[in-house]
Amino acid sequence: MYVFLCIVSFISVFPLYWMVSAATNKSVDVTRGRLIPGTYLTENFKNLVNSQNIGRALGNSFKYAIILTLVSLVICSLAGYGFEIFHDKGKDIVMNIILLAMMVPFVATLIPLFQMFSKAGWLNSTIGFILPTLSTPFLIMMFRQSARSFPHDIIEAARIDGLSELRIFFQMFIPTMKSTYAAAMTITFMNAWNSYLWPKVIMTDEKSMTMPMVVANLTQGYVTDYGMLMLAVLICTLPTAVIFFCLQKSFAEGITGAVK
């Protein structure tokens, strides 16, 4: 069993190692399948900076992902809290309709969304990036499931003491559900950071490009510099990897609590 787990772990980690190794080698060495780290990291970085505006793309990705994550957590948690705490049959029907929306692929709404946002003048804007994914059925469902484990006696006691519903939510519910918020933050940030299709459609200006768009641009053309490409992929991967490793314990607890 341990031998099998070691083999599976090696297979899982090997692509990450190969990505780091390829980022330090020349394009020719990458195509030849060299697995040993090289000394071409500085040159790959210089070529990448000269060919693409990495700083601006990183700034855009961080801005869009952070804003979307913060606003989405507030909206989805409020919705999930309201669906469960103020529960009735009508809200169950609305929740079922929201869950049915998960079956509709995003590409089916891509053209209507683009037409609407174009007429509204939201192309190349932050609101144009975040609005379609601001509230997702999955996050609402996850927060609703977490709200079921929140003690209703505490809510009744808080109401008797004169606390408003918003104060109960912000001062009592949010601190209690830290693990759920950590899991939701990880999922939302990773989805926003790795988003490519919608930004490619809505961001028509080069000044609004994100990191996934920059990586895609490096594959276009007659010749692809694989060393520079893998370095860009490595830079694009680091923020999400750092966030996940920092919040992995809370992420696991939040997902487990949501399922329960």
Side-chain angles (χ1 to χ4, degrees):
M1 180 61 68
Y2 286 110
V3 173
F4 173 75
L5 292 177
C6 290
I7 295 174
V8 173
S9 300
F10 174 78
I11 294 174
S12 301
V13 175
F14 178 76
L16 298 176
Y17 168 78
W18 187 83
M19 176 181 64
V20 175
S21 176
T24 63
N25 286 308
K26 297 181 180 180
S27 180
V28 177
D29 295 330
V30 177
T31 55
R32 290 176 180 175
R34 178 174 176 174
L35 300 178
I36 302 174
T39 58
Y40 211 70
L41 178 63
T42 305
E43 294 297 327
N44 286 335
F45 183 76
K46 290 180 180 179
N47 295 334
L48 179 61
V49 172
N50 292 332
S51 62
Q52 301 290 332
N53 196 330
I54 297 297
R56 184 169 60 194
L58 281 172
N60 290 335
S61 292
F62 273 113
K63 180 179 71 173
Y64 299 146
I66 291 173
I67 293 176
L68 175 58
T69 300
L70 295 178
V71 179
S72 181
L73 288 181
V74 174
I75 293 177
C76 292
S77 60
L78 273 171
Y81 177 85
F83 273 117
E84 181 58 31
I85 302 303
F86 306 99
H87 180 265
D88 57 45
K89 293 183 179 180
K91 292 185 177 63
D92 287 339
I93 296 175
V94 175
M95 188 65 195
N96 291 332
I97 296 174
I98 292 175
L99 293 178
L100 285 175
M102 297 177 65
M103 301 181 184
V104 180
F106 182 73
V107 293
T109 61
L110 190 63
I111 295 177
L113 280 175
F114 176 78
Q115 292 178 342
M116 292 169 56
F117 282 36
S118 178
K119 292 179 181 179
W122 290 340
L123 299 180
N124 302 307
S125 64
T126 303
I127 189 172
F129 180 93
I130 69 173
L131 195 57
T133 54
L134 194 59
S135 177
T136 61
F138 175 77
L139 287 185
I140 294 175
M141 179 184 65
M142 188 171 73
F143 279 110
R144 186 189 183 189
Q145 293 297 109
S146 297
R148 289 182 176 178
S149 62
F150 189 72
H152 285 238
D153 294 339
I154 296 179
I155 298 177
E156 295 297 333
R159 289 171 179 170
I160 294 174
D161 289 340
L163 266 70
S164 64
E165 296 298 333
L166 285 178
R167 288 188 63 186
I168 294 174
F169 175 79
F170 284 103
Q171 295 182 7
M172 301 179 66
F173 180 78
I174 291 180
T176 305
M177 299 297 173
K178 289 181 180 179
S179 59
T180 304
Y181 277 90
M185 184 185 74
T186 305
I187 295 171
T188 307
F189 184 87
M190 292 178 66
N191 290 337
W193 182 272
N194 295 324
S195 179
Y196 171 74
L197 181 59
W198 177 244
K200 185 67 175 178
V201 173
I202 200 71
M203 302 299 182
T204 58
D205 190 356
E206 291 185 359
K207 295 182 180 180
S208 303
M209 291 179 60
T210 59
M211 277 303 298
M213 297 171 66
V214 169
V215 173
N217 288 342
L218 295 176
T219 61
Q220 299 174 0
Y222 296 103
V223 179
T224 302
D225 190 335
Y226 291 102
M228 182 176 63
L229 174 63
M230 297 311 295
L231 178 59
V233 173
L234 177 62
I235 295 174
C236 188
T237 304
L238 286 177
T240 55
V242 170
I243 289 178
F244 180 79
F245 283 119
C246 291
L247 299 176
Q248 59 179 335
K249 184 177 180 180
S250 298
F251 176 82
E253 292 176 355
I255 293 295
T256 304
V259 173
K260 291 180 180 177

